[in-house]
Amino acid sequence: MILYSFLTGIGAGTFYTSSTSLISLIFPPRERGRMLGIAYSGIGAGTSIAIVAGGFFSHIYGWRLLFLVSSIPGVVGSILFLHGIRGDQYNPSRARSRSSILGLEMLRTRVLQVYMAVHALILITYFGVTSFTPTYIASSSGLGIVEANLVFLAFPLSEILGGLIGGYLADKLGAWRISITSFIVISIAVALIPLAYYPIYVALLLPIIGFMFRTAATTLPLLVVESTPSNIVGTILGWYNSIGFLGASVGPYMFGIIADRWGFSLSYIAISIFPLISIPMMLSKKTLALSQLFHSFSSRLYPSEIPCC
């Protein structure tokens, strides 16, 4: 199971990086937020369907058939992608050196380091919430796991709107402002979950959290793309995704340890801190100053390849 999960994660990570890079190369800056939002809204839609279908198939037919059924969307999606995307729709220029291919020079820039660290911190909270909240709802309310999953369905459903509206607002108001707002709301709402003793109250918090998480997941890649020369966008997004999922691995493990020793309430409070830590990192004057310096420096190195901000 660990090996299969590892292989699944390789595929999922590759798709995220390549699709985000593809959209950023095809669409101009003024449309990227909206297009990424549309693409990322599919994550919420797919998760919502998976929760309902997964509970249905596993309850009636057992968990083994569930994995076979879950493999079908991947096959169908691959076929649709191959027939729907042509290779001549984009033509990114090649990097000039081996270090450029790996994006090592860009990884030394302070602004990209901050965005990658923030991504990891946010995913600690995201995967902590998504991994344990159905169990928390079931144990705290006496509901069965199927009923608890239906309550949790409010989370992925709200992600659909989070992607659509978050991308639109990023284009209009700026990805940086929307990201900061998302972090604040996420931190407060996650910390309030232990106070919601009844499922209906948890169901009221989950749409807020899901909406803001998907909004942040849409705006942060935009900031990365805006800070990266177009010829290595895919490489940098690969680093961004890989480092971020270190946080995704840590989050559930941290949440589970704290829950076993001190209870669910402290777990939620602990993981709500990480979005707050992200805020001063994003607000750092040094980060912003170096970001401006980096844009000036990059415009001289890659005068025709820097995306307009």
Side-chain angles (χ1 to χ4, degrees):
M1 289 297 295
I2 293 175
L3 174 61
Y4 294 157
S5 298
F6 176 79
L7 295 175
T8 304
I10 291 177
T14 303
F15 172 77
Y16 171 87
T17 302
S18 58
S19 61
T20 305
S21 176
L22 183 65
I23 291 172
S24 67
L25 290 171
I26 291 177
F27 294 97
R30 65 181 181 277
E31 298 180 7
R32 283 179 191 152
R34 182 166 55 90
M35 292 303 170
L36 283 176
I38 293 173
Y40 291 166
S41 67
I43 297 176
T47 303
S48 302
I49 295 172
I51 290 176
V52 177
F56 173 78
F57 281 104
S58 63
H59 181 70
I60 297 179
Y61 300 107
W63 65 269
R64 292 182 183 275
L65 181 62
L66 176 62
F67 282 97
L68 294 175
V69 173
S70 299
S71 67
I72 296 175
V75 176
V76 175
S78 299
I79 295 173
L80 292 175
F81 188 85
L82 289 172
H83 287 279
I85 302 295
R86 302 190 312 273
D88 58 357
Q89 285 183 286
Y90 64 100
N91 185 25
S93 58
R94 296 183 178 274
R96 299 176 181 175
S97 67
R98 184 177 181 84
S99 58
S100 295
I101 293 174
L102 297 176
L104 299 181
E105 301 102 328
M106 305 309 301
L107 290 179
R108 299 190 186 101
T109 60
R110 170 70 173 172
V111 63
L112 288 177
Q113 292 173 1
V114 168
Y115 292 153
M116 291 179 185
V118 167
H119 188 215
L121 293 174
I122 294 301
L123 289 190
I124 289 176
T125 306
Y126 179 87
F127 280 91
V129 170
T130 55
S131 297
F132 284 93
T133 298
T135 304
Y136 170 73
I137 295 172
S139 63
S140 63
S141 64
L143 294 176
I145 193 64
V146 175
E147 291 81 5
N149 273 341
L150 291 177
V151 174
F152 184 72
L153 191 61
F155 186 100
L157 284 174
S158 66
E159 289 191 82
I160 301 174
L161 287 178
L164 295 173
I165 298 176
Y168 174 81
L169 292 176
D171 286 339
K172 296 296 182 182
L173 303 177
W176 187 84
R177 292 187 183 92
I178 302 302
S179 296
I180 294 294
T181 304
S182 300
F183 299 158
I184 295 173
V185 176
I186 288 170
S187 180
I188 295 173
V190 170
L192 288 176
I193 288 179
L195 302 178
Y197 293 104
Y198 299 101
I200 185 63
Y201 297 142
V202 178
L204 292 176
L205 286 172
L206 289 176
I208 300 174
I209 301 171
F211 180 92
M212 288 301 177
F213 264 127
R214 186 50 52 197
T215 297
T218 302
T219 55
L220 277 174
L222 282 173
L223 294 172
V224 173
V225 170
E226 291 174 357
S227 304
T228 306
S230 60
N231 63 325
I232 54 170
V233 165
T235 302
I236 297 302
L237 285 172
W239 283 107
Y240 169 83
N241 195 40
S242 299
I243 294 173
F245 271 88
L246 291 176
S249 302
V250 170
Y253 186 72
M254 176 187 299
F255 191 108
I257 289 178
I258 297 175
D260 283 344
R261 296 190 177 184
W262 297 288
F264 277 101
S265 296
L266 188 59
S267 293
Y268 281 108
I269 294 173
I271 64 172
S272 72
I273 296 173
F274 294 100
L276 287 180
I277 297 175
S278 302
I279 295 173
M281 296 173 65
M282 297 283 286
L283 290 173
S284 171
K285 292 182 179 179
K286 182 178 180 181
T287 299
L288 296 178
L290 286 175
S291 176
Q292 295 174 354
L293 179 63
F294 160 70
H295 279 295
S296 176
F297 175 73
S298 298
S299 64
R300 294 194 296 270
L301 288 180
Y302 308 94
S304 62
E305 298 170 354
I306 296 297
C308 179
C309 301

